[in-house]
Amino acid sequence: MSAAGIWLGQAVTPDVPDIVTSFEFSDSNGFILGDAPFTADFQGGVTQTLGNAALYQSGVFSWHVNTAGASIDFATPGNTLSFFARTVTAGDNATIHVVDENGIEFSTTILSDAFQQITINRNPGAGESLIGSVAIAVASGEFVIDTFTLGFVSTASTDDIACVFAPNDEFVCVVNDDTSGDILGAANGTYQVSGNQVTAARCPSSTQRRMFTTSIS
């Protein structure tokens, strides 16, 4: 069976997943969640369980921060942020400062001794800056955060692919933006057919060669 001819299809780029945690692990040295460059770096505080259900919005762990304070830095700024926070006891004094990607504080919340949900949505299309970091200041006592979610601006796309497979075992592929029609990329190389499997290698540099295998039905 030959692969020669014109192949049309679509390339789907999935969205970057949200960073979601309920802190169901033990840590006292700081930790990073997510996959680079979409990460959240938690510094200060400890994740722990104290056996007090009132201190956990979900699960049996939460992130506890004392007067040393804490911070959460986002390697890639996000556009949505949600978490639950409270002080441990009445009279504790803690404040959460949310800072944008330019280092400008735009949200301040003073906590009480009952869980409250802090939710922030930023719209870069309307000229709003993205979320760059969170700083936690504890003047007295202790506070906890639980059920944390950070979301990023959508990177999902569906683009058109057109490939020409020639009888001489060479191919050319072009990727076009599905909306604007702009050319996003192109590749050429050689291919081999074995049964109903097509294996292709991009040229010319062997150090940049990419392989793919597909089936002819």
Side-chain angles (χ1 to χ4, degrees), residues 50 55 78 109 135 146 187 209:
L50 298 180
L55 299 180
T109 304
D146 205 4
R209 182 170 297 173

Side-chain angles (χ1 to χ4, degrees), residues 68-95:
S71 64
I72 315 170
D73 293 308
F74 310 133
T76 298
N79 69 323
T80 62
L81 177 66
S82 175
F83 57 89
F84 289 81
R86 59 162 291 172
T87 60
V88 171
T89 60
D92 292 351
N93 188 341
T95 306

Side-chain angles (χ1 to χ4, degrees), residues 72-167:
I72 315 170
D73 293 308
F74 310 133
T76 298
N79 69 323
T80 62
L81 177 66
S82 175
F83 57 89
F84 289 81
R86 59 162 291 172
T87 60
V88 171
T89 60
D92 292 351
N93 188 341
T95 306
I96 292 178
H97 307 271
V98 182
V99 178
D100 73 6
E101 58 190 321
N102 303 311
I104 300 172
E105 182 177 330
F106 65 90
S107 175
T108 303
T109 304
I110 299 175
L111 300 178
S112 67
D113 61 337
F115 268 125
Q116 57 185 301
Q117 185 175 17
I118 297 173
T119 302
I120 295 174
N121 295 285
R122 305 290 282 178
N123 182 5
E128 294 180 340
S129 55
L130 297 175
I131 308 163
S133 63
V134 176
I136 300 110
V138 182
S140 62
E142 183 179 350
F143 96 107
V144 297
I145 281 182
D146 205 4
T147 315
F148 174 97
T149 301
L150 173 69
F152 301 95
V153 175
S154 175
T155 58
S157 65
T158 302
D159 305 305
D160 296 322
I161 296 179
C163 295
V164 177
F165 285 77

Side-chain angles (χ1 to χ4, degrees), residues 37-51:
F38 301 95
T39 58
D41 183 359
F42 294 75
Q43 294 298 321
V46 297
T47 58
Q48 62 180 341
T49 179
L50 298 180

